[in-house]
Amino acid sequence: MNTNLTQKPHPTAVSQAWQALESHHQQMRQVHLRGLFADDPLRGQRFTAEAGDIFLDYSKNIITSETMALLVRLAEGCHLKQKVTAMFNGDVVNVTEQRAALHTALRMPENAELKLDGINIIPAVHAVLRRMAVFSEQVRQGGWRGHTGKRVRNVVNIGIGGSDLGPVMAFEALRHYSQRDLAFYFISNVDGTDFQEVVSRLLADETLFVVCSKSFSTLETMTNAQSARQWLVEKMGNDETAVAKHFVAVSTHAEAVAQFGIAPDNMFEFWDWVGGRYSLASAIGLSTMIAIGPEHFYALLAGLHTMDEHFRTAPLAENLPVILGLLTIWYNNFFGAQTLAVLPYDQYLKRFPAYIQQLSMESNGKGVTVEGSPVNYQTSPIYWGEPGTNGQHSFFQLIHQGTKLVPCDFIGFCQSLNPLGKHHDLLMANFFAQSEALAFGKTEQEVKADGVQGDLVAAHVFPGNRPSNTLLVKCLTPATLGQLLALYEHSVFTQGAVWNINSFDQWGVELGKVSAQRIFNEMQHPDLALAHDNSTNGLIGRYRQLK
Ligand code: G6Q
């Protein structure tokens, strides 16, 4: 493990910008947000930015104009603009897999043109979208009939990682817009409990399985898909032909899909230039499209595209994803913050933090540069979070008064999709109160003025100076969700560009997979001698005895 992780990345411009930030940090670690706001009455307007329907107030960060200028200088030194252009153009930015990362092409309008290896890929993107739209409408309107002639009532997405988190997050986020006579389920874990607890409540002849797997070889997904197939065929009196009406696949791998027994007509294609965690806008979003309908799905794509265009064209200093990404670097690399909390004040966004967690940590949890040398600075922070106000009654204590610095992203909406009495004003009152309290805290004097005395005073003091961003949006819609998603995607890209790492591979998940295969084999053959370390041998031995 690299222990000296406080130094700069590489060449001259970068190291100068990095050093300038290091010495600037020496001053900034002495200041308090109370002072920054007192010195600049317009601070709350000065440090704001807007793109599409998203308003960002980043004034409650421990920054000055100089901080932002230095961070932008760092980004320039890292050739951020050039790297953005390279990604959008389809250059091989995923160097270890020799691939482009063209998720942005999935959201481009039909009349756009983007050539990859000399071929315009946009017509193919839209051809798949049209097929998805036709199929979705068939399911939604009851034209798609199951094997016994019944219409579909349950849609079960089988996938894991990028083939699960996007669909489940988007379904939950946009549930308000979903067709309510259809129920949606998501099976991801290889733990049979996940499968059983879903199918035990379903009627097979009303159920459609959407098997999502880019590779169509992922152990968990293939195991769940086989179990689903077996379950369905059994329920249909062992009639194998039932599979055709109850299974569709989303994959880049037509052969493997055919081998599974799903006909090409029931397969929705995407391409190796779409990374798993960036794939929601591809056919991986099929269950989302069935839920919310093609029109809303196109609005989601348009929202993503709005933010893509903003990221691609806006000057760095006014660029929302760049600002968010650079602020993350500021706390991660200069203040030594280890984590970042994503706190949506909207129950529909309950899976949003988990989605952003994968997006960020799988993309930027890297220890080598794109050239393959070990980094000597910190890369991705740990992303985590829960919706407000629930989090306030659990971990917020640590953010307010603990010993760790936890920068927060607060995400809130001015209009509720479920207006109910005073609920929304109460929710949003908490939303505004939290970032205010984190920034300004409560001094000893204020505590005493409230009548608290003696030994109790210290426990009642809130130090404040705890930074946060506030993302305020009028309403949660497919379009604004799209904008939020692309905002985080490109913030992650910005961070990766500055750290000079490959944000698009994920080799770190491989070792455990290979090892699990070997151990699985040892479980199937209890007579096989174990040749692991002493701890692993002991644990497997105990499992063999007790299973
Ligand atoms: C995401 C990762 C990973 C992937 C899953 C599922 O970027 O690559 O989470 O999405 O491992 O892979 P398949 O879609 O190939 O089944």
Side-chain angles (χ1 to χ4, degrees):
M1 175 127 0
N2 202 333
T3 48
N4 181 15
L5 292 172
T6 53
Q7 295 165 15
K8 60 201 177 342
H10 60 125
T12 329
V14 181
S15 64
Q16 279 171 359
W18 199 275
Q19 273 160 19
L21 277 159
E22 270 171 351
S23 55
H24 177 65
H25 171 248
Q26 293 311 313
Q27 298 159 28
M28 293 305 290
R29 56 198 282 262
Q30 320 286 344
V31 306
H32 196 289
L33 279 165
R34 279 186 216 124
L36 291 174
F37 272 86
D39 292 348
D40 179 2
L42 293 179
R43 184 180 169 85
Q45 281 135 58
R46 201 182 306 288
F47 293 107
T48 60
E50 218 164 339
D53 300 294
I54 298 182
F55 177 78
L56 165 68
D57 179 337
Y58 60 104
S59 62
K60 295 190 184 84
N61 281 290
I62 309 168
I63 54 162
T64 59
S65 303
E66 189 187 348
T67 321
M68 293 314 293
L70 289 172
L71 285 167
V72 166
R73 210 172 101 197
L74 174 67
E76 284 165 352
C78 296
H79 307 298
L80 175 59
K81 272 281 174 200
Q82 291 88 326
K83 289 180 181 180
V84 171
T85 306
M87 175 178 69
F88 276 84
N89 282 352
D91 293 359
V92 177
V93 290
N94 180 353
V95 286
T96 62
E97 294 181 296
Q98 278 299 298
R99 282 178 192 161
L102 268 178
H103 41 287
T104 49
L106 301 168
R107 302 85 89 123
M108 286 170 76
E110 203 165 0
N111 58 3
E113 187 182 283
L114 181 67
K115 286 197 172 158
L116 191 65
D117 301 327
I119 296 167
N120 181 13
I121 57 174
I122 304 303
V125 166
H126 280 268
V128 174
L129 281 170
R130 276 193 298 274
R131 283 190 59 224
M132 289 165 63
V134 169
F135 179 72
S136 299
E137 284 301 10
Q138 282 178 337
V139 174
R140 288 164 65 82
Q141 288 166 19
W144 182 273
R145 297 279 159 166
H147 187 62
T148 63
K150 282 198 183 170
R151 63 177 293 179
V152 170
R153 294 287 174 199
N154 312 304
V155 177
V156 183
N157 191 87
I158 298 181
I160 196 164
S163 300
D164 167 69
L165 282 160
V168 70
M169 176 280 299
F171 171 70
E172 291 297 347
L174 300 176
R175 187 189 272 269
H176 177 80
Y177 301 89
S178 69
Q179 185 168 313
R180 299 295 177 139
D181 62 0
L182 289 171
F184 290 81
Y185 302 91
F186 300 86
I187 299 176
S188 54
N189 200 333
V190 75
D191 182 345
T193 299
D194 205 9
F195 180 82
Q196 289 295 3
E197 286 292 340
V198 169
V199 299
S200 60
R201 19 183 167 153
L202 305 182
L203 293 173
D205 56 358
E206 296 181 347
T207 299
L208 174 75
F209 291 98
V210 180
V211 184
C212 283
S213 177
K214 182 175 170 180
S215 58
F216 230 72
S217 64
T218 304
L219 174 112
E220 292 89 338
T221 302
M222 289 304 103
T223 308
N224 280 320
Q226 291 294 354
S227 297
R229 187 197 161 110
Q230 201 179 332
W231 174 82
L232 182 100
V233 169
E234 265 171 32
K235 297 275 180 196
M236 297 290 180
N238 290 321
D239 187 348
E240 285 280 341
T241 62
V243 171
K245 288 289 169 197
H246 293 269
F247 279 82
V248 295
V250 178
S251 186
T252 56
H253 215 303
E255 257 171 51
V257 171
Q259 256 169 29
F260 182 88
I262 296 177
D265 280 355
N266 290 354
M267 175 185 149
F268 297 86
E269 154 189 48
F270 66 114
W271 305 273
D272 70 355
W273 41 262
V274 182
R277 55 195 172 274
Y278 296 90
S279 65
L280 175 65
S282 73
I284 291 288
L286 182 61
S287 61
T288 313
M289 194 194 267
I290 298 172
I292 63 175
E295 204 176 313
H296 284 317
F297 194 83
Y298 277 104
L300 174 75
L301 298 181
L304 286 154
H305 183 65
T306 299
M307 192 56 74
D308 292 343
E309 282 304 282
H310 169 76
F311 181 55
R312 194 175 65 80
T313 58
L316 298 183
E318 296 157 30
N319 196 308
L320 258 69
V322 172
I323 295 169
L324 279 195
L326 291 177
L327 287 169
T328 305
I329 287 165
W330 179 230
Y331 295 115
N332 186 70
N333 293 88
F334 298 93
F335 279 79
Q338 298 271 342
T339 82
L340 191 156
V342 179
L343 307 166
Y345 275 59
D346 190 303
Q347 193 58 24
Y348 283 127
L349 292 186
K350 65 181 181 189
R351 296 306 302 272
F352 189 80
Y355 176 84
I356 298 300
Q357 185 174 65
Q358 183 199 23
L359 179 67
S360 311
M361 292 168 68
E362 201 165 38
S363 296
N364 286 339
K366 307 288 162 64
V368 292
T369 65
V370 285
E371 292 87 15
S373 356
V375 297
N376 58 357
Y377 41 86
Q378 288 283 349
T379 59
S380 181
I382 295 158
Y383 278 72
W384 59 287
E386 281 287 327
T389 59
N390 292 5
Q392 291 174 208
H393 299 264
S394 65
F395 53 80
F396 269 52
Q397 165 62 39
L398 182 149
I399 307 181
H400 280 287
Q401 287 188 312
T403 54
K404 307 230 165 12
L405 179 69
V406 184
C408 299
D409 285 355
F410 286 91
I411 304 167
F413 298 90
C414 299
Q415 296 178 358
S416 171
L417 292 170
N418 294 293
L420 175 66
K422 295 177 183 148
H423 283 251
H424 196 63
D425 279 350
L426 285 168
L427 173 75
M428 292 306 284
N430 276 279
F431 174 80
F432 296 120
Q434 286 301 324
S435 58
E436 184 181 35
L438 284 168
F440 301 103
K442 193 168 184 182
T443 62
E444 193 179 324
Q445 236 177 356
E446 289 165 338
V447 170
K448 285 180 178 161
D450 276 354
V452 181
Q453 283 167 8
D455 290 351
L456 287 180
V457 172
H460 286 254
V461 169
F462 286 67
N465 211 26
R466 318 245 152 167
S468 66
N469 293 308
T470 299
L471 293 161
L472 191 60
V473 186
K474 185 168 158 193
C475 188
L476 176 59
T477 64
T480 56
L481 179 71
Q483 292 172 22
L484 277 172
L485 297 178
L487 169 60
Y488 276 92
E489 280 178 356
H490 301 319
S491 163
V492 164
F493 182 88
T494 300
Q495 295 165 47
V498 170
W499 293 323
N500 193 31
I501 56 180
N502 179 359
S503 300
F504 299 109
D505 61 9
Q506 56 282 313
W507 297 105
V509 298
E510 293 304 320
L511 179 60
K513 279 194 204 169
V514 174
S515 186
Q517 279 295 358
R518 173 180 162 202
I519 297 175
F520 176 67
N521 191 38
E522 288 161 354
M523 286 167 176
Q524 303 303 294
H525 303 97
D527 45 321
L528 269 184
L530 299 173
H532 302 268
D533 60 275
N534 187 243
S535 160
T536 310
N537 279 347
L539 291 166
I540 299 171
R542 197 172 174 83
Y543 175 80
R544 276 175 168 175
Q545 274 169 24
L546 297 179
K547 70 181 263 195

